[in-house]
Amino acid sequence: MLDTLSAAELTIDDMRAAHERIKPHIRRTPVLSSEYLNAQTGARLFFKCENLQEAGAFKVRGACNAVFGLPDEIAGKGVCTHSSGNHALSLSYAAGRRGIPCNVVMPRTAPQAKKDAVRRFGGTITECEPSTSSREATFAQVQARTGGEFVHPYNDPRVIAGQATCSAEMLEQTGGLDAVIAPIGGGGMVSGTCLTVSNLAPDTAIYAAEPQQADDAYRSFKAGRIIADDAPKTVADGLLVPLKENTWHFVSRNVADIFTASEDEIVAAMKLAWKHLRLVIEPSSAVPLATILNNPEVFRGKRVGVILTGGNVDLDKLPWLAGQGGEG
Amino acid sequence: MLDTLSAAELTIDDMRAAHERIKPHIRRTPVLSSEYLNAQTGARLFFKCENLQEAGAFKVRGACNAVFGLPDEIAGKGVCTHSSGNHALSLSYAAGRRGIPCNVVMPRTAPQAKKDAVRRFGGTITECEPSTSSREATFAQVQARTGGEFVHPYNDPRVIAGQATCSAEMLEQTGGLDAVIAPIGGGGMVSGTCLTVSNLAPDTAIYAAEPQQADDAYRSFKAGRIIADDAPKTVADGLLVPLKENTWHFVSRNVADIFTASEDEIVAAMKLAWKHLRLVIEPSSAVPLATILNNPEVFRGKRVGVILTGGNVDLDKLPWLAGQGGEG
């Protein structure tokens, strides 16, 4: 393990170093808007389109920072991780670009589109049950067998520094914001956002958005300590995991509030974004818009940066079409 | 009728004047790419994302040029048109921004998403049968009743000059291309592309892409005269109309070739774009990608600009899902 830094030691220079390291491997994604959604919310919404990364998720930022920061002697054994999907395929993408092996543990219920992408990028999948306990137990076996460097999907400061580059671009592209909001699962994107925004735009409020049916970050935030659920169920398949110490560091210090949305609200917001932004986003990415629609008084009149985290969806199983659940 | 210019009189300065006129009302849409689609085709594809216009289609360019070019005394009576959908909603959008009435004739089979958008932008719809003859007859009644200025969906030089701004942006954004390709229905976008590219990048080849089941432009091109079908049927609902004299002027002079694709190929290319570009595009927009996949020898090794013309789709009726046709 190389990530001897803890979250508390990360500085804005770690974000800047990450940005230089990953620039050849990621896209500076566009920021888009919709007059219709602005009218619906009374806010000015700036959507940062991480779904438009080649791998379809912001997670390529952290994965590339970790993979391209490895010294050759460690990189040679490859990398490994567990992930509900986007970190797995992003780490496979990064490892593929460096030409090193990548082994990932994924829940068997992960969307087929995400499993297919891991394999397309050259990663090897070991499936587990859809619970934190099964995921961690299966991963311990894979790691022992392969000896690869573990790149945790979010509790790794290298990953957090990589995710932090997203809001740095967004602040530049928009010329400043009153608030930013991102989905929260394990808290990697939110932590990176905290690292950047608390340093570069300290007056900008940082919000997180979570499914009601996987609201462990919300309950942790209110209780002042990490509360973890083992196996939550939600259509937002990217937000199933609990906070860990490195993300709790940022969430507990820099987040202004966490809002939640129901399953129906998430699916409705997803369809609204497809219709009016003409972007394919996955359910997890729709949670912030759902909570903005739920809490108009918080956002009305504000310039709000909304991070669209990913767009890896099973196009044959859309959650608003009858008889098709969102869990694959 | 103000469009006393004919296509033969249009110059590149008309495109430049149109661009200045419409800039406050349209987006400079991004150009996106996919390493995956590049690998699949052996080309470097640059997708110009007109689906990301607020109204979801390139047609806002021509519609805004026509509407904002009207003198006040004519604008007061409003505008009217017939359209399979995107010109109707784009003209409604432009008229709404100028605060004048808009009356449109649309086939009853047009996608619900397009009808909804016309009404959201303040336009009034009169439905007709899905044939050129019914469309033109119904329109004559509407025009006589309202007295609005007719803005033809593509045979109007003001409209062609507006559509021409799209490829001007694309040439700037990409730094130059070996070829450009756009879908062809009535030929408005292709004609605008010809006006711009033949003047600003005369070495860039201009291709058009058409559904096999509505291949009247292909047959016209091969025959050297306009051949019109009355009521073709294709999933590409934006490409049902025939060439007219002003678009034939450009198509016959500046287009290098026209390629066609089957219904299955169009739907497969549409799904491929949704999956790898994470963009919601409508079937018509997928025809160029389908023909690039069909004709790899033409495009391999080339820098190719691909115009994604629109993204107005019924999200409840996706053509790749069983039992659901593409015709609404």
Side-chain angles (χ1 to χ4, degrees):
Chain A
M1 287 288 287
L2 282 177
D3 54 324
T4 49
L5 268 183
S6 76
E9 296 169 279
L10 281 173
T11 72
I12 195 68
D13 286 337
D14 293 306
M15 182 282 288
R16 293 193 176 108
H19 217 177
E20 286 309 305
R21 183 178 290 126
I22 69 178
K23 267 181 185 164
H25 308 292
I26 65 150
R27 296 195 182 128
R28 184 179 169 93
T29 55
V31 171
L32 301 179
S33 61
S34 158
E35 295 171 23
Y36 179 83
L37 294 177
N38 287 348
Q40 290 296 304
T41 58
R44 280 194 65 188
L45 305 181
F46 297 88
F47 293 94
K48 176 68 169 163
C49 298
E50 292 297 291
N51 61 319
L52 300 179
Q53 294 287 354
E54 178 72 19
F58 76 88
K59 300 238 176 191
V60 288
R61 295 176 182 268
C64 284
N65 191 43
V67 163
F68 286 94
L70 290 175
D72 287 343
E73 64 274 18
I74 289 180
K77 287 191 173 173
V79 287
C80 58
T81 198
H82 52 78
S83 156
S84 53
N86 278 333
H87 177 66
L89 62 90
S90 296
L91 194 68
S92 300
Y93 176 79
R97 287 183 74 102
R98 184 152 178 186
I100 63 176
C102 179
N103 279 279
V104 302
V105 171
M106 290 175 79
R108 61 173 173 71
T109 54
Q112 192 61 38
K114 293 181 178 178
K115 295 180 189 172
D116 291 346
V118 167
R119 296 191 179 105
R120 193 167 70 244
F121 296 137
T124 304
I125 298 173
T126 304
E127 291 194 354
C128 66
E129 291 305 302
S131 68
T132 300
S133 47
S134 169
R135 173 195 290 230
E136 295 188 346
T138 308
F139 176 72
Q141 298 169 359
V142 168
Q143 188 184 22
R145 177 165 50 77
T146 65
E149 170 75 5
F150 179 28
V151 181
H152 191 282
Y154 54 89
N155 197 40
D156 183 322
R158 301 170 297 188
V159 170
I160 292 172
Q163 320 306 33
T165 62
C166 176
S167 47
E169 292 175 10
M170 184 167 62
L171 288 171
E172 278 180 25
Q173 290 167 304
T174 58
L177 296 164
D178 299 312
V180 298
I181 184 165
I184 192 160
M189 171 49 82
V190 168
S191 294
T193 304
C194 290
L195 174 61
T196 295
V197 172
S198 70
N199 279 283
L200 301 184
D203 294 336
T204 300
I206 302 165
Y207 296 107
E210 195 174 35
Q212 272 169 15
Q213 290 188 196
D215 69 344
D216 50 282
Y218 171 83
R219 287 179 286 126
S220 301
F221 185 74
K222 298 300 179 189
R225 62 185 170 79
I226 297 177
I227 299 172
D229 294 332
D230 192 52
K233 282 187 191 294
T234 168
V235 67
D237 60 86
L239 305 178
L240 298 170
V241 289
L243 298 171
K244 295 273 188 182
E245 66 278 10
N246 281 316
T247 51
W248 175 245
H249 170 83
F250 286 104
V251 171
S252 59
R253 279 168 184 74
N254 300 122
V255 168
D257 210 345
I258 299 182
F259 303 112
T260 64
S262 71
E263 298 295 289
D264 284 351
E265 289 165 346
I266 294 167
V267 172
M270 178 180 171
K271 193 175 179 188
L272 203 63
W274 285 44
K275 179 165 182 173
H276 292 283
L277 291 167
R278 283 101 182 169
L279 294 173
V280 172
I281 63 168
E282 55 187 271
S284 305
S285 297
V287 183
L289 178 58
T291 66
I292 290 169
L293 290 164
N294 265 350
N295 296 275
E297 71 289 355
V298 177
F299 298 98
R300 193 175 293 126
K302 304 257 174 73
R303 292 168 56 86
V304 183
V306 183
I307 301 176
L308 296 178
T309 45
N312 292 315
V313 182
D314 284 348
L315 295 174
D316 295 317
K317 287 187 187 176
L318 299 180
W320 58 76
L321 293 179
Q324 299 180 331
E327 294 203 297
Chain B
M1 285 288 289
L2 281 178
D3 53 325
T4 49
L5 266 183
S6 78
E9 296 169 278
L10 280 173
T11 73
I12 195 68
D13 286 336
D14 293 307
M15 182 281 289
R16 293 193 177 108
H19 217 178
E20 287 308 306
R21 182 177 292 125
I22 70 178
K23 268 183 184 163
H25 308 292
I26 64 149
R27 296 198 180 126
R28 184 179 168 93
T29 55
V31 172
L32 301 179
S33 62
S34 158
E35 294 171 24
Y36 179 85
L37 294 177
N38 287 348
Q40 290 297 302
T41 58
R44 279 193 68 188
L45 305 181
F46 298 87
F47 293 94
K48 176 67 169 164
C49 298
E50 292 296 292
N51 60 320
L52 300 180
Q53 294 286 356
E54 178 72 21
F58 76 87
K59 300 238 175 189
V60 288
R61 296 175 182 269
C64 284
N65 191 44
V67 164
F68 286 94
L70 291 177
D72 287 342
E73 65 275 18
I74 289 179
K77 286 192 177 174
V79 288
C80 58
T81 197
H82 52 77
S83 156
S84 53
N86 278 333
H87 177 66
L89 63 89
S90 295
L91 195 66
S92 300
Y93 176 79
R97 287 183 74 103
R98 186 154 178 186
I100 63 175
C102 180
N103 280 278
V104 302
V105 171
M106 290 175 78
R108 60 174 174 72
T109 54
Q112 192 60 39
K114 293 181 177 178
K115 295 180 189 173
D116 291 346
V118 167
R119 297 191 178 105
R120 193 167 69 244
F121 295 138
T124 303
I125 300 174
T126 304
E127 292 195 352
C128 65
E129 290 305 302
S131 69
T132 300
S133 48
S134 169
R135 173 195 290 230
E136 296 188 346
T138 308
F139 175 71
Q141 298 169 359
V142 168
Q143 189 183 23
R145 178 165 49 77
T146 64
E149 170 74 6
F150 178 28
V151 181
H152 191 281
Y154 53 89
N155 197 40
D156 182 324
R158 301 169 297 186
V159 170
I160 292 172
Q163 320 306 32
T165 62
C166 177
S167 48
E169 293 175 9
M170 184 167 63
L171 287 171
E172 278 180 26
Q173 289 167 306
T174 58
L177 296 164
D178 299 313
V180 298
I181 184 165
I184 192 159
M189 170 50 83
V190 168
S191 294
T193 304
C194 290
L195 174 61
T196 295
V197 172
S198 70
N199 279 284
L200 301 184
D203 294 337
T204 299
I206 302 165
Y207 297 107
E210 194 174 36
Q212 270 168 17
Q213 291 189 195
D215 69 344
D216 51 284
Y218 171 84
R219 286 180 287 125
S220 302
F221 185 75
K222 299 300 178 190
R225 61 183 170 81
I226 296 178
I227 299 172
D229 294 332
D230 191 53
K233 282 187 190 295
T234 168
V235 66
D237 60 86
L239 305 178
L240 298 170
V241 289
L243 298 171
K244 295 273 187 183
E245 67 278 10
N246 281 316
T247 52
W248 176 245
H249 171 83
F250 287 105
V251 170
S252 60
R253 279 166 183 75
N254 300 122
V255 168
D257 210 345
I258 299 181
F259 303 112
T260 64
S262 71
E263 299 294 288
D264 285 351
E265 290 165 345
I266 294 167
V267 172
M270 178 181 171
K271 194 175 178 187
L272 203 64
W274 285 44
K275 179 166 182 172
H276 292 283
L277 291 167
R278 283 102 184 167
L279 294 174
V280 172
I281 64 168
E282 56 188 90
S284 306
S285 297
V287 183
L289 179 59
T291 65
I292 290 170
L293 290 163
N294 264 352
N295 296 277
E297 72 290 353
V298 177
F299 298 98
R300 193 175 294 126
K302 304 256 174 71
R303 293 168 56 85
V304 183
V306 183
I307 300 176
L308 296 177
T309 45
N312 292 315
V313 182
D314 284 347
L315 295 173
D316 295 317
K317 288 188 187 176
L318 298 179
W320 56 78
L321 294 180
Q324 300 180 329
E327 292 203 293

mmCIF file with all atom_site columns, all heavy atoms in Angstrom, chain A residues 16-30:
data_model
loop_
_atom_site.group_PDB
_atom_site.id
_atom_site.type_symbol
_atom_site.label_atom_id
_atom_site.label_alt_id
_atom_site.label_comp_id
_atom_site.label_asym_id
_atom_site.label_entity_id
_atom_site.label_seq_id
_atom_site.pdbx_PDB_ins_code
_atom_site.Cartn_x
_atom_site.Cartn_y
_atom_site.Cartn_z
_atom_site.occupancy
_atom_site.B_iso_or_equiv
_atom_site.pdbx_formal_charge
_atom_site.auth_seq_id
_atom_site.auth_comp_id
_atom_site.auth_asym_id
_atom_site.auth_atom_id
_atom_site.pdbx_PDB_model_num
ATOM 1   N N   . ARG A 1 16 ? -3.740  19.699 -7.564  1.00 0.00 ? 16 ARG A N   1
ATOM 2   C CA  . ARG A 1 16 ? -3.070  20.262 -8.753  1.00 0.00 ? 16 ARG A CA  1
ATOM 3   C C   . ARG A 1 16 ? -2.104  19.245 -9.372  1.00 0.00 ? 16 ARG A C   1
ATOM 4   O O   . ARG A 1 16 ? -2.028  19.109 -10.598 1.00 0.00 ? 16 ARG A O   1
ATOM 5   C CB  . ARG A 1 16 ? -2.333  21.545 -8.370  1.00 0.00 ? 16 ARG A CB  1
ATOM 6   C CG  . ARG A 1 16 ? -3.292  22.670 -7.979  1.00 0.00 ? 16 ARG A CG  1
ATOM 7   C CD  . ARG A 1 16 ? -2.576  24.032 -7.901  1.00 0.00 ? 16 ARG A CD  1
ATOM 8   N NE  . ARG A 1 16 ? -3.544  25.088 -7.608  1.00 0.00 ? 16 ARG A NE  1
ATOM 9   C CZ  . ARG A 1 16 ? -3.639  25.731 -6.427  1.00 0.00 ? 16 ARG A CZ  1
ATOM 10  N NH1 . ARG A 1 16 ? -2.797  25.443 -5.431  1.00 0.00 ? 16 ARG A NH1 1
ATOM 11  N NH2 . ARG A 1 16 ? -4.558  26.661 -6.249  1.00 0.00 ? 16 ARG A NH2 1
ATOM 12  N N   . ALA A 1 17 ? -1.392  18.525 -8.529  1.00 0.00 ? 17 ALA A N   1
ATOM 13  C CA  . ALA A 1 17 ? -0.472  17.496 -9.045  1.00 0.00 ? 17 ALA A CA  1
ATOM 14  C C   . ALA A 1 17 ? -1.256  16.389 -9.749  1.00 0.00 ? 17 ALA A C   1
ATOM 15  O O   . ALA A 1 17 ? -0.849  15.882 -10.806 1.00 0.00 ? 17 ALA A O   1
ATOM 16  C CB  . ALA A 1 17 ? 0.365   16.922 -7.909  1.00 0.00 ? 17 ALA A CB  1
ATOM 17  N N   . ALA A 1 18 ? -2.379  16.019 -9.165  1.00 0.00 ? 18 ALA A N   1
ATOM 18  C CA  . ALA A 1 18 ? -3.233  14.997 -9.795  1.00 0.00 ? 18 ALA A CA  1
ATOM 19  C C   . ALA A 1 18 ? -3.701  15.467 -11.165 1.00 0.00 ? 18 ALA A C   1
ATOM 20  O O   . ALA A 1 18 ? -3.686  14.704 -12.142 1.00 0.00 ? 18 ALA A O   1
ATOM 21  C CB  . ALA A 1 18 ? -4.439  14.699 -8.898  1.00 0.00 ? 18 ALA A CB  1
ATOM 22  N N   . HIS A 1 19 ? -4.095  16.726 -11.255 1.00 0.00 ? 19 HIS A N   1
ATOM 23  C CA  . HIS A 1 19 ? -4.619  17.244 -12.523 1.00 0.00 ? 19 HIS A CA  1
ATOM 24  C C   . HIS A 1 19 ? -3.551  17.169 -13.611 1.00 0.00 ? 19 HIS A C   1
ATOM 25  O O   . HIS A 1 19 ? -3.830  16.753 -14.741 1.00 0.00 ? 19 HIS A O   1
ATOM 26  C CB  . HIS A 1 19 ? -5.126  18.673 -12.336 1.00 0.00 ? 19 HIS A CB  1
ATOM 27  C CG  . HIS A 1 19 ? -6.354  18.981 -13.129 1.00 0.00 ? 19 HIS A CG  1
ATOM 28  N ND1 . HIS A 1 19 ? -7.018  20.176 -13.062 1.00 0.00 ? 19 HIS A ND1 1
ATOM 29  C CD2 . HIS A 1 19 ? -7.067  18.238 -14.021 1.00 0.00 ? 19 HIS A CD2 1
ATOM 30  C CE1 . HIS A 1 19 ? -8.055  20.167 -13.864 1.00 0.00 ? 19 HIS A CE1 1
ATOM 31  N NE2 . HIS A 1 19 ? -8.119  19.005 -14.450 1.00 0.00 ? 19 HIS A NE2 1
ATOM 32  N N   . GLU A 1 20 ? -2.334  17.569 -13.285 1.00 0.00 ? 20 GLU A N   1
ATOM 33  C CA  . GLU A 1 20 ? -1.249  17.474 -14.275 1.00 0.00 ? 20 GLU A CA  1
ATOM 34  C C   . GLU A 1 20 ? -1.016  16.020 -14.687 1.00 0.00 ? 20 GLU A C   1
ATOM 35  O O   . GLU A 1 20 ? -0.805  15.713 -15.855 1.00 0.00 ? 20 GLU A O   1
ATOM 36  C CB  . GLU A 1 20 ? 0.044   18.073 -13.703 1.00 0.00 ? 20 GLU A CB  1
ATOM 37  C CG  . GLU A 1 20 ? 0.030   19.589 -13.652 1.00 0.00 ? 20 GLU A CG  1
ATOM 38  C CD  . GLU A 1 20 ? -0.376  20.218 -14.983 1.00 0.00 ? 20 GLU A CD  1
ATOM 39  O OE1 . GLU A 1 20 ? 0.255   19.910 -16.009 1.00 0.00 ? 20 GLU A OE1 1
ATOM 40  O OE2 . GLU A 1 20 ? -1.365  20.995 -14.997 1.00 0.00 ? 20 GLU A OE2 1
ATOM 41  N N   . ARG A 1 21 ? -1.050  15.113 -13.683 1.00 0.00 ? 21 ARG A N   1
ATOM 42  C CA  . ARG A 1 21 ? -0.762  13.704 -13.962 1.00 0.00 ? 21 ARG A CA  1
ATOM 43  C C   . ARG A 1 21 ? -1.813  13.071 -14.866 1.00 0.00 ? 21 ARG A C   1
ATOM 44  O O   . ARG A 1 21 ? -1.481  12.252 -15.735 1.00 0.00 ? 21 ARG A O   1
ATOM 45  C CB  . ARG A 1 21 ? -0.690  12.949 -12.626 1.00 0.00 ? 21 ARG A CB  1
ATOM 46  C CG  . ARG A 1 21 ? -0.327  11.484 -12.752 1.00 0.00 ? 21 ARG A CG  1
ATOM 47  C CD  . ARG A 1 21 ? -0.237  10.827 -11.373 1.00 0.00 ? 21 ARG A CD  1
ATOM 48  N NE  . ARG A 1 21 ? 0.906   11.293 -10.616 1.00 0.00 ? 21 ARG A NE  1
ATOM 49  C CZ  . ARG A 1 21 ? 0.866   11.800 -9.383  1.00 0.00 ? 21 ARG A CZ  1
ATOM 50  N NH1 . ARG A 1 21 ? -0.292  11.917 -8.747  1.00 0.00 ? 21 ARG A NH1 1
ATOM 51  N NH2 . ARG A 1 21 ? 1.959   12.206 -8.779  1.00 0.00 ? 21 ARG A NH2 1
ATOM 52  N N   . ILE A 1 22 ? -3.078  13.433 -14.663 1.00 0.00 ? 22 ILE A N   1
ATOM 53  C CA  . ILE A 1 22 ? -4.152  12.717 -15.368 1.00 0.00 ? 22 ILE A CA  1
ATOM 54  C C   . ILE A 1 22 ? -4.587  13.402 -16.671 1.00 0.00 ? 22 ILE A C   1
ATOM 55  O O   . ILE A 1 22 ? -5.289  12.789 -17.484 1.00 0.00 ? 22 ILE A O   1
ATOM 56  C CB  . ILE A 1 22 ? -5.383  12.497 -14.465 1.00 0.00 ? 22 ILE A CB  1
ATOM 57  C CG1 . ILE A 1 22 ? -6.114  13.810 -14.147 1.00 0.00 ? 22 ILE A CG1 1
ATOM 58  C CG2 . ILE A 1 22 ? -4.973  11.766 -13.193 1.00 0.00 ? 22 ILE A CG2 1
ATOM 59  C CD1 . ILE A 1 22 ? -7.370  13.625 -13.280 1.00 0.00 ? 22 ILE A CD1 1
ATOM 60  N N   . LYS A 1 23 ? -4.151  14.626 -16.901 1.00 0.00 ? 23 LYS A N   1
ATOM 61  C CA  . LYS A 1 23 ? -4.653  15.360 -18.071 1.00 0.00 ? 23 LYS A CA  1
ATOM 62  C C   . LYS A 1 23 ? -4.517  14.604 -19.383 1.00 0.00 ? 23 LYS A C   1
ATOM 63  O O   . LYS A 1 23 ? -5.415  14.688 -20.232 1.00 0.00 ? 23 LYS A O   1
ATOM 64  C CB  . LYS A 1 23 ? -3.989  16.740 -18.176 1.00 0.00 ? 23 LYS A CB  1
ATOM 65  C CG  . LYS A 1 23 ? -4.808  17.817 -17.486 1.00 0.00 ? 23 LYS A CG  1
ATOM 66  C CD  . LYS A 1 23 ? -4.176  19.202 -17.614 1.00 0.00 ? 23 LYS A CD  1
ATOM 67  C CE  . LYS A 1 23 ? -4.989  20.216 -16.803 1.00 0.00 ? 23 LYS A CE  1
ATOM 68  N NZ  . LYS A 1 23 ? -4.248  21.467 -16.558 1.00 0.00 ? 23 LYS A NZ  1
ATOM 69  N N   . PRO A 1 24 ? -3.422  13.869 -19.611 1.00 0.00 ? 24 PRO A N   1
ATOM 70  C CA  . PRO A 1 24 ? -3.344  13.147 -20.902 1.00 0.00 ? 24 PRO A CA  1
ATOM 71  C C   . PRO A 1 24 ? -4.353  12.008 -21.018 1.00 0.00 ? 24 PRO A C   1
ATOM 72  O O   . PRO A 1 24 ? -4.541  11.468 -22.109 1.00 0.00 ? 24 PRO A O   1
ATOM 73  C CB  . PRO A 1 24 ? -1.919  12.561 -20.898 1.00 0.00 ? 24 PRO A CB  1
ATOM 74  C CG  . PRO A 1 24 ? -1.181  13.299 -19.830 1.00 0.00 ? 24 PRO A CG  1
ATOM 75  C CD  . PRO A 1 24 ? -2.206  13.710 -18.817 1.00 0.00 ? 24 PRO A CD  1
ATOM 76  N N   . HIS A 1 25 ? -4.988  11.630 -19.912 1.00 0.00 ? 25 HIS A N   1
ATOM 77  C CA  . HIS A 1 25 ? -5.804  10.408 -19.898 1.00 0.00 ? 25 HIS A CA  1
ATOM 78  C C   . HIS A 1 25 ? -7.296  10.667 -19.705 1.00 0.00 ? 25 HIS A C   1
ATOM 79  O O   . HIS A 1 25 ? -8.098  9.748  -19.824 1.00 0.00 ? 25 HIS A O   1
ATOM 80  C CB  . HIS A 1 25 ? -5.301  9.483  -18.787 1.00 0.00 ? 25 HIS A CB  1
ATOM 81  C CG  . HIS A 1 25 ? -3.833  9.247  -18.869 1.00 0.00 ? 25 HIS A CG  1
ATOM 82  N ND1 . HIS A 1 25 ? -3.263  8.538  -19.890 1.00 0.00 ? 25 HIS A ND1 1
ATOM 83  C CD2 . HIS A 1 25 ? -2.810  9.677  -18.086 1.00 0.00 ? 25 HIS A CD2 1
ATOM 84  C CE1 . HIS A 1 25 ? -1.943  8.515  -19.726 1.00 0.00 ? 25 HIS A CE1 1
ATOM 85  N NE2 . HIS A 1 25 ? -1.645  9.207  -18.637 1.00 0.00 ? 25 HIS A NE2 1
ATOM 86  N N   . ILE A 1 26 ? -7.652  11.883 -19.357 1.00 0.00 ? 26 ILE A N   1
ATOM 87  C CA  . ILE A 1 26 ? -9.072  12.193 -19.118 1.00 0.00 ? 26 ILE A CA  1
ATOM 88  C C   . ILE A 1 26 ? -9.511  13.319 -20.033 1.00 0.00 ? 26 ILE A C   1
ATOM 89  O O   . ILE A 1 26 ? -8.707  13.941 -20.714 1.00 0.00 ? 26 ILE A O   1
ATOM 90  C CB  . ILE A 1 26 ? -9.330  12.606 -17.649 1.00 0.00 ? 26 ILE A CB  1
ATOM 91  C CG1 . ILE A 1 26 ? -8.611  13.932 -17.348 1.00 0.00 ? 26 ILE A CG1 1
ATOM 92  C CG2 . ILE A 1 26 ? -8.932  11.510 -16.692 1.00 0.00 ? 26 ILE A CG2 1
ATOM 93  C CD1 . ILE A 1 26 ? -9.293  14.764 -16.304 1.00 0.00 ? 26 ILE A CD1 1
ATOM 94  N N   . ARG A 1 27 ? -10.825 13.566 -20.031 1.00 0.00 ? 27 ARG A N   1
ATOM 95  C CA  . ARG A 1 27 ? -11.373 14.698 -20.774 1.00 0.00 ? 27 ARG A CA  1
ATOM 96  C C   . ARG A 1 27 ? -11.708 15.842 -19.824 1.00 0.00 ? 27 ARG A C   1
ATOM 97  O O   . ARG A 1 27 ? -12.166 15.606 -18.712 1.00 0.00 ? 27 ARG A O   1
ATOM 98  C CB  . ARG A 1 27 ? -12.673 14.294 -21.475 1.00 0.00 ? 27 ARG A CB  1
ATOM 99  C CG  . ARG A 1 27 ? -12.430 13.248 -22.512 1.00 0.00 ? 27 ARG A CG  1
ATOM 100 C CD  . ARG A 1 27 ? -13.602 13.101 -23.459 1.00 0.00 ? 27 ARG A CD  1
ATOM 101 N NE  . ARG A 1 27 ? -13.238 12.022 -24.383 1.00 0.00 ? 27 ARG A NE  1
ATOM 102 C CZ  . ARG A 1 27 ? -13.986 10.974 -24.638 1.00 0.00 ? 27 ARG A CZ  1
ATOM 103 N NH1 . ARG A 1 27 ? -15.178 10.861 -24.103 1.00 0.00 ? 27 ARG A NH1 1
ATOM 104 N NH2 . ARG A 1 27 ? -13.561 10.035 -25.462 1.00 0.00 ? 27 ARG A NH2 1
ATOM 105 N N   . ARG A 1 28 ? -11.504 17.052 -20.288 1.00 0.00 ? 28 ARG A N   1
ATOM 106 C CA  . ARG A 1 28 ? -12.084 18.220 -19.631 1.00 0.00 ? 28 ARG A CA  1
ATOM 107 C C   . ARG A 1 28 ? -13.532 18.267 -20.118 1.00 0.00 ? 28 ARG A C   1
ATOM 108 O O   . ARG A 1 28 ? -13.820 18.794 -21.201 1.00 0.00 ? 28 ARG A O   1
ATOM 109 C CB  . ARG A 1 28 ? -11.304 19.468 -20.039 1.00 0.00 ? 28 ARG A CB  1
ATOM 110 C CG  . ARG A 1 28 ? -11.752 20.744 -19.356 1.00 0.00 ? 28 ARG A CG  1
ATOM 111 C CD  . ARG A 1 28 ? -10.880 21.900 -19.837 1.00 0.00 ? 28 ARG A CD  1
ATOM 112 N NE  . ARG A 1 28 ? -11.382 23.183 -19.436 1.00 0.00 ? 28 ARG A NE  1
ATOM 113 C CZ  . ARG A 1 28 ? -11.002 23.828 -18.323 1.00 0.00 ? 28 ARG A CZ  1
ATOM 114 N NH1 . ARG A 1 28 ? -10.088 23.303 -17.535 1.00 0.00 ? 28 ARG A NH1 1
ATOM 115 N NH2 . ARG A 1 28 ? -11.510 24.997 -18.021 1.00 0.00 ? 28 ARG A NH2 1
ATOM 116 N N   . THR A 1 29 ? -14.419 17.688 -19.367 1.00 0.00 ? 29 THR A N   1
ATOM 117 C CA  . THR A 1 29 ? -15.806 17.506 -19.821 1.00 0.00 ? 29 THR A CA  1
ATOM 118 C C   . THR A 1 29 ? -16.541 18.850 -19.870 1.00 0.00 ? 29 THR A C   1
ATOM 119 O O   . THR A 1 29 ? -16.245 19.753 -19.080 1.00 0.00 ? 29 THR A O   1
ATOM 120 C CB  . THR A 1 29 ? -16.554 16.555 -18.877 1.00 0.00 ? 29 THR A CB  1
ATOM 121 O OG1 . THR A 1 29 ? -16.441 17.066 -17.545 1.00 0.00 ? 29 THR A OG1 1
ATOM 122 C CG2 . THR A 1 29 ? -15.976 15.152 -18.931 1.00 0.00 ? 29 THR A CG2 1
ATOM 123 N N   . PRO A 1 30 ? -17.513 18.967 -20.773 1.00 0.00 ? 30 PRO A N   1
ATOM 124 C CA  . PRO A 1 30 ? -18.231 20.241 -20.868 1.00 0.00 ? 30 PRO A CA  1
ATOM 125 C C   . PRO A 1 30 ? -19.191 20.464 -19.696 1.00 0.00 ? 30 PRO A C   1
ATOM 126 O O   . PRO A 1 30 ? -19.573 19.528 -18.993 1.00 0.00 ? 30 PRO A O   1
ATOM 127 C CB  . PRO A 1 30 ? -19.014 20.095 -22.179 1.00 0.00 ? 30 PRO A CB  1
ATOM 128 C CG  . PRO A 1 30 ? -19.122 18.642 -22.433 1.00 0.00 ? 30 PRO A CG  1
ATOM 129 C CD  . PRO A 1 30 ? -17.917 17.995 -21.812 1.00 0.00 ? 30 PRO A CD  1
#
